[in-house]
Coordinates of all heavy atoms in Angstrom, one line a residue:
L855 N 119.0 33.4 -14.7 CA 119.1 32.2 -14.0 C 118.2 31.1 -14.5 O 118.5 29.9 -14.6 CB 118.8 32.3 -12.5 CG 119.8 33.2 -11.7 CD1 119.3 33.3 -10.3 CD2 121.3 32.7 -11.7
G856 N 116.9 31.5 -14.9 CA 115.9 30.6 -15.1 C 115.3 30.5 -16.5 O 114.3 29.8 -16.8
Y862 N 121.1 30.1 -16.6 CA 122.2 29.6 -16.0 C 122.0 28.1 -15.3 O 122.8 27.2 -15.5 CB 122.7 30.5 -14.9 CG 123.9 30.1 -14.0 CD1 125.1 30.0 -14.6 CD2 123.8 29.5 -12.8 CE1 126.3 29.6 -13.9 CE2 124.9 29.1 -12.0 CZ 126.1 29.1 -12.6 OH 127.2 28.8 -11.9
Y863 N 120.8 28.1 -14.6 CA 120.6 26.8 -14.0 C 120.0 25.7 -14.9 O 119.9 24.6 -14.5 CB 119.6 27.0 -12.7 CG 120.2 27.6 -11.4 CD1 120.0 28.8 -10.9 CD2 121.3 26.8 -10.8 CE1 120.7 29.3 -9.8 CE2 121.9 27.2 -9.7 CZ 121.7 28.4 -9.3 OH 122.3 28.9 -8.1
M864 N 119.7 26.1 -16.1 CA 119.0 25.1 -17.0 C 120.1 24.3 -17.7 O 119.9 23.2 -18.1 CB 118.2 25.7 -18.0 CG 117.1 26.5 -17.5 SD 116.0 25.3 -16.6 CE 115.5 26.4 -15.2
R866 N 123.6 23.6 -16.7 CA 124.9 23.1 -16.1 C 124.7 22.7 -14.7 O 123.7 23.1 -14.0 CB 125.9 24.1 -16.2 CG 125.7 25.3 -15.2 CD 126.3 26.6 -15.5 NE 125.8 27.1 -16.9 CZ 126.5 27.7 -17.8 NH1 127.8 27.7 -17.6 NH2 125.9 28.0 -18.9
P868 N 126.4 23.8 -11.5 CA 127.3 24.9 -11.3 C 128.3 24.7 -10.1 O 129.1 25.5 -9.7 CB 126.4 26.0 -10.8 CG 125.2 25.3 -10.2 CD 125.1 24.0 -11.0
L869 N 128.1 23.5 -9.4 CA 128.9 23.4 -8.1 C 130.2 22.7 -8.3 O 130.5 22.1 -9.2 CB 127.9 22.5 -7.2 CG 126.6 23.2 -6.7 CD1 125.6 22.2 -6.4 CD2 127.0 24.0 -5.5
F875 N 131.0 27.7 -8.0 CA 131.0 28.0 -6.6 C 130.9 26.7 -5.9 O 130.4 25.8 -6.3 CB 129.9 29.1 -6.2 CG 128.6 28.6 -6.5 CD1 127.8 27.8 -5.6 CD2 128.0 28.9 -7.8 CE1 126.5 27.4 -6.0 CE2 126.7 28.3 -8.1 CZ 126.0 27.8 -7.2
T876 N 131.4 26.8 -4.6 CA 131.3 25.6 -3.7 C 130.5 26.0 -2.5 O 130.6 27.0 -1.9 CB 132.7 25.2 -3.2 OG1 133.5 25.0 -4.4 CG2 132.8 24.1 -2.3
T877 N 129.6 25.1 -2.1 CA 128.7 25.4 -1.0 C 129.0 24.6 0.2 O 129.8 23.5 0.1 CB 127.1 25.0 -1.4 OG1 127.2 23.7 -1.9 CG2 126.7 25.9 -2.5
A878 N 128.4 24.9 1.4 CA 128.8 24.2 2.6 C 128.6 22.7 2.6 O 129.6 22.0 3.0 CB 128.0 24.8 3.8
P879 N 127.6 22.1 2.0 CA 127.6 20.6 2.0 C 128.6 20.0 1.1 O 128.9 18.9 1.4 CB 126.1 20.4 1.4 CG 125.5 21.7 1.1 CD 126.2 22.8 1.5
E880 N 129.0 20.8 0.1 CA 130.0 20.3 -0.8 C 131.4 20.3 -0.1 O 132.4 19.7 -0.6 CB 130.1 20.9 -2.1 CG 128.8 20.9 -2.9 CD 128.4 19.4 -3.3 OE1 129.3 18.7 -3.5 OE2 127.2 19.2 -3.4
I881 N 131.6 21.2 1.0 CA 132.8 21.3 1.7 C 133.0 20.1 2.6 O 134.1 19.5 2.7 CB 132.9 22.6 2.6 CG1 133.0 23.8 1.5 CG2 134.0 22.7 3.4 CD1 132.8 25.1 2.1
F885 N 128.3 19.0 7.5 CA 127.3 20.0 7.4 C 125.9 19.4 7.3 O 125.0 19.6 8.1 CB 127.6 21.0 6.2 CG 126.7 22.1 6.1 CD1 126.9 23.2 6.8 CD2 125.6 22.2 5.2 CE1 126.0 24.4 6.7 CE2 124.7 23.2 5.1 CZ 125.0 24.3 5.8
E910 N 113.4 19.9 0.7 CA 114.6 20.7 0.5 C 114.3 21.6 -0.7 O 113.9 21.1 -1.8 CB 115.9 19.9 0.4 CG 117.0 20.8 0.2 CD 118.4 20.2 0.3 OE1 118.5 19.0 0.3 OE2 119.4 21.0 0.2
C911 N 114.5 22.9 -0.5 CA 114.4 23.8 -1.6 C 115.8 24.0 -2.2 O 116.8 24.3 -1.4 CB 113.9 25.2 -1.1 SG 112.4 25.1 -0.2
G912 N 116.0 23.9 -3.5 CA 117.3 24.1 -4.2 C 118.3 23.1 -3.6 O 119.4 23.5 -3.1
P913 N 118.1 21.7 -3.8 CA 119.0 20.8 -3.2 C 120.3 20.6 -3.8 O 121.2 19.8 -3.5 CB 118.2 19.5 -3.3 CG 116.9 19.8 -3.8 CD 117.0 21.2 -4.5
G914 N 120.5 21.3 -5.0 CA 122.0 21.2 -5.6 C 122.2 19.8 -6.1 O 121.4 19.1 -6.8
R915 N 123.3 19.2 -5.7 CA 123.7 17.8 -6.2 C 123.0 16.7 -5.1 O 123.3 15.6 -5.3 CB 125.1 17.7 -5.9 CG 125.8 18.4 -7.1 CD 127.3 18.3 -6.9 NE 128.1 18.7 -8.1 CZ 129.4 18.8 -8.1 NH1 130.2 18.4 -7.0 NH2 130.0 19.2 -9.2
G916 N 122.2 17.3 -4.2 CA 121.6 16.3 -3.3 C 122.5 15.9 -2.1 O 122.2 15.0 -1.3
T917 N 123.6 16.6 -2.0 CA 124.6 16.2 -1.0 C 124.2 16.4 0.5 O 124.3 15.5 1.2 CB 126.0 17.0 -1.3 OG1 126.3 16.8 -2.7 CG2 127.1 16.5 -0.4
L918 N 123.6 17.5 0.7 CA 123.2 17.8 2.0 C 122.1 16.8 2.5 O 122.3 16.2 3.6 CB 122.5 19.2 2.1 CG 122.1 19.8 3.4 CD1 122.0 21.3 3.4 CD2 120.8 19.2 3.9
L940 N 111.7 17.5 -3.2 CA 112.7 18.3 -3.7 C 112.2 19.5 -4.5 O 111.6 19.1 -5.6 CB 113.9 17.4 -4.4 CG 114.3 16.3 -3.6 CD1 115.2 15.4 -4.5 CD2 115.2 16.7 -2.4
M941 N 112.4 20.7 -4.2 CA 112.0 21.8 -5.0 C 113.2 22.2 -5.8 O 114.2 22.8 -5.3 CB 111.5 22.9 -4.1 CG 110.8 24.1 -4.9 SD 110.3 25.4 -3.9 CE 108.9 24.8 -3.2
E942 N 113.1 22.1 -7.2 CA 114.3 22.3 -8.0 C 113.8 22.7 -9.4 O 112.9 22.1 -9.9 CB 115.0 21.0 -8.1 CG 116.3 21.1 -8.9 CD 117.3 22.2 -8.5 OE1 117.9 22.1 -7.5 OE2 117.3 23.1 -9.3
I943 N 114.5 23.7 -10.0 CA 114.2 24.1 -11.3 C 115.2 23.5 -12.4 O 114.8 23.5 -13.5 CB 114.2 25.7 -11.6 CG1 115.3 26.3 -11.0 CG2 112.8 26.2 -11.1 CD1 115.6 27.7 -11.5
S944 N 116.3 23.1 -11.9 CA 117.4 22.7 -12.9 C 117.2 21.3 -13.2 O 117.4 20.3 -12.4 CB 118.8 23.1 -12.3 OG 119.7 22.2 -13.0
P945 N 117.1 21.0 -14.6 CA 117.0 19.6 -15.1 C 118.3 18.9 -14.8 O 118.3 17.7 -14.6 CB 116.7 19.7 -16.5 CG 116.9 21.2 -16.9 CD 116.8 22.0 -15.7
L947 N 120.5 19.4 -12.4 CA 120.6 19.1 -10.9 C 119.7 18.1 -10.5 O 119.9 17.3 -9.6 CB 120.6 20.4 -10.1 CG 121.8 21.3 -10.2 CD1 121.6 22.6 -9.5 CD2 123.1 20.6 -9.8
K948 N 118.4 18.0 -11.1 CA 117.5 17.0 -10.8 C 118.1 15.6 -11.1 O 117.9 14.7 -10.4 CB 116.2 17.1 -11.7 CG 115.2 18.0 -11.1 CD 113.9 18.1 -11.9 CE 113.2 19.3 -11.7 NZ 112.0 19.6 -12.5
Q951 N 120.4 14.8 -8.4 CA 119.6 14.5 -7.1 C 119.0 13.1 -7.2 O 118.9 12.3 -6.2 CB 118.4 15.6 -6.9 CG 119.0 16.9 -6.6 CD 118.1 18.0 -6.9 OE1 116.8 17.8 -7.1 NE2 118.6 19.3 -7.1
C963 N 109.2 19.0 -7.1 CA 108.2 20.0 -7.2 C 108.8 21.3 -7.6 O 110.0 21.5 -7.4 CB 107.3 20.0 -6.0 SG 108.3 20.6 -4.5
E964 N 108.0 22.2 -8.0 CA 108.5 23.6 -8.4 C 107.9 24.7 -7.5 O 108.2 25.8 -7.6 CB 108.3 23.9 -9.8 CG 109.1 22.9 -10.7 CD 109.4 23.4 -12.0 OE1 108.9 24.4 -12.5 OE2 110.2 22.7 -12.8
D965 N 106.9 24.2 -6.6 CA 106.1 25.2 -5.9 C 105.6 24.7 -4.6 O 105.4 23.4 -4.6 CB 104.8 25.4 -6.8 CG 104.3 26.8 -6.6 OD1 103.8 27.0 -5.5 OD2 104.6 27.8 -7.4
T978 N 114.1 22.6 4.6 CA 115.6 23.1 4.7 C 116.0 23.7 3.3 O 115.5 23.2 2.3 CB 116.5 22.0 5.3 OG1 117.8 22.5 5.3 CG2 116.5 20.7 4.4
A979 N 116.8 24.7 3.5 CA 117.2 25.4 2.2 C 118.6 26.0 2.5 O 118.7 26.8 3.3 CB 116.2 26.4 1.8
N980 N 119.5 25.5 1.8 CA 120.9 26.1 1.9 C 121.2 26.9 0.5 O 121.2 26.2 -0.5 CB 122.0 25.1 2.2 CG 123.3 25.7 2.4 OD1 123.5 26.5 3.3 ND2 124.4 25.4 1.6
E981 N 121.5 28.1 0.7 CA 121.8 29.0 -0.6 C 120.7 28.9 -1.6 O 121.0 28.7 -2.8 CB 123.2 28.5 -1.1 CG 124.4 29.0 -0.3 CD 125.7 29.3 -1.1 OE1 125.6 29.8 -2.1 OE2 126.8 28.9 -0.5
F982 N 119.5 28.9 -1.1 CA 118.4 29.0 -2.0 C 117.8 30.4 -2.1 O 117.6 30.9 -3.2 CB 117.3 28.0 -1.5 CG 116.0 28.1 -2.2 CD1 115.8 27.7 -3.5 CD2 114.9 28.7 -1.6 CE1 114.6 27.8 -4.2 CE2 113.7 28.9 -2.2 CZ 113.6 28.4 -3.6
L983 N 117.6 31.0 -1.0 CA 117.0 32.4 -1.1 C 117.9 33.4 -1.9 O 117.4 34.3 -2.6 CB 116.9 33.0 0.4 CG 115.9 32.2 1.3 CD1 115.8 32.9 2.7 CD2 114.4 32.2 0.6
D984 N 119.2 33.2 -1.8 CA 120.1 34.2 -2.5 C 119.9 34.1 -4.1 O 120.4 34.9 -4.8 CB 121.5 33.9 -2.2 CG 122.0 32.6 -2.6 OD1 122.0 32.3 -3.8 OD2 122.5 31.8 -1.8
A985 N 119.3 33.0 -4.6 CA 119.0 32.8 -6.0 C 117.7 33.4 -6.4 O 117.4 33.5 -7.6 CB 119.2 31.3 -6.4
L986 N 116.9 33.8 -5.5 CA 115.6 34.3 -5.9 C 115.8 35.9 -6.3 O 116.6 36.5 -5.7 CB 114.5 34.3 -4.7 CG 114.3 32.8 -4.2 CD1 113.2 32.9 -3.2 CD2 113.8 31.9 -5.4
P987 N 115.0 36.2 -7.3 CA 115.3 37.5 -7.9 C 115.1 38.7 -6.9 O 114.2 38.6 -6.1 CB 114.2 37.7 -9.0 CG 113.8 36.2 -9.3 CD 114.0 35.5 -8.0
F1041 N 107.8 34.2 -0.9 CA 108.1 32.8 -0.5 C 108.0 32.6 1.0 O 107.4 31.6 1.5 CB 109.4 32.4 -1.2 CG 109.8 31.0 -0.9 CD1 109.2 30.1 -1.6 CD2 110.8 30.7 0.1 CE1 109.5 28.7 -1.3 CE2 111.2 29.4 0.3 CZ 110.6 28.4 -0.4
I1059 N 119.5 28.7 5.4 CA 120.9 29.2 5.6 C 121.4 29.9 4.4 O 121.2 29.4 3.2 CB 121.8 27.9 5.9 CG1 121.2 27.2 7.1 CG2 123.3 28.4 6.2 CD1 122.0 26.0 7.4
D1091 N 126.8 32.7 -12.3 CA 125.8 32.6 -11.4 C 125.4 34.0 -10.9 O 126.4 34.9 -10.7 CB 126.2 31.8 -10.1 CG 125.1 31.6 -9.2 OD1 123.9 31.5 -9.6 OD2 125.4 31.4 -8.0
T1093 N 123.5 36.2 -7.8 CA 122.9 36.1 -6.6 C 122.9 37.5 -5.9 O 123.6 38.4 -6.3 CB 123.6 35.1 -5.5 OG1 125.0 35.6 -5.3 CG2 123.7 33.8 -6.1
Ligands
LIG2109 N1 121.6 23.8 -1.7 C1 122.6 23.3 -2.6 C2 122.6 24.1 -4.0 C3 122.7 25.6 -3.8 S1 122.7 26.4 -5.3 C4 123.9 23.4 -1.9 O1 124.0 23.9 -0.7 O2 124.9 22.8 -2.4 C5 121.0 26.9 -5.6 C6 120.0 25.8 -5.9 O3 118.7 26.3 -5.9 C7 120.2 25.0 -7.1 O4 119.8 23.7 -6.8 C8 119.3 25.6 -8.1 O5 119.0 24.9 -9.2 C9 118.1 25.9 -7.1 N2 117.2 27.0 -7.5 C10 117.5 28.3 -7.9 N3 116.4 29.0 -8.2 C11 115.3 28.1 -7.9 C12 113.9 28.3 -8.0 N4 113.4 29.4 -8.3 N5 113.1 27.2 -7.6 C13 113.7 26.0 -7.3 N6 115.1 25.8 -7.2 C14 115.9 26.8 -7.5

Side-chain angles (χ1 to χ4, degrees):
L855 296 177
Y862 177 73
Y863 278 117
M864 295 303 143
R866 72 203 65 222
L869 291 150
F875 57 93
T876 302
T877 55
E880 301 297 332
I881 292 172
F885 189 79
E910 182 172 4
C911 308
R915 291 176 168 175
T917 308
L918 185 159
L940 304 172
M941 186 183 288
E942 178 57 67
I943 49 163
S944 160
L947 291 174
K948 272 184 202 168
Q951 293 155 20
C963 63
E964 297 202 353
D965 207 288
T978 178
N980 185 60
E981 291 207 38
F982 170 74
L983 294 179
D984 65 60
L986 298 185
F1041 183 73
I1059 305 180
D1091 188 28
T1093 61

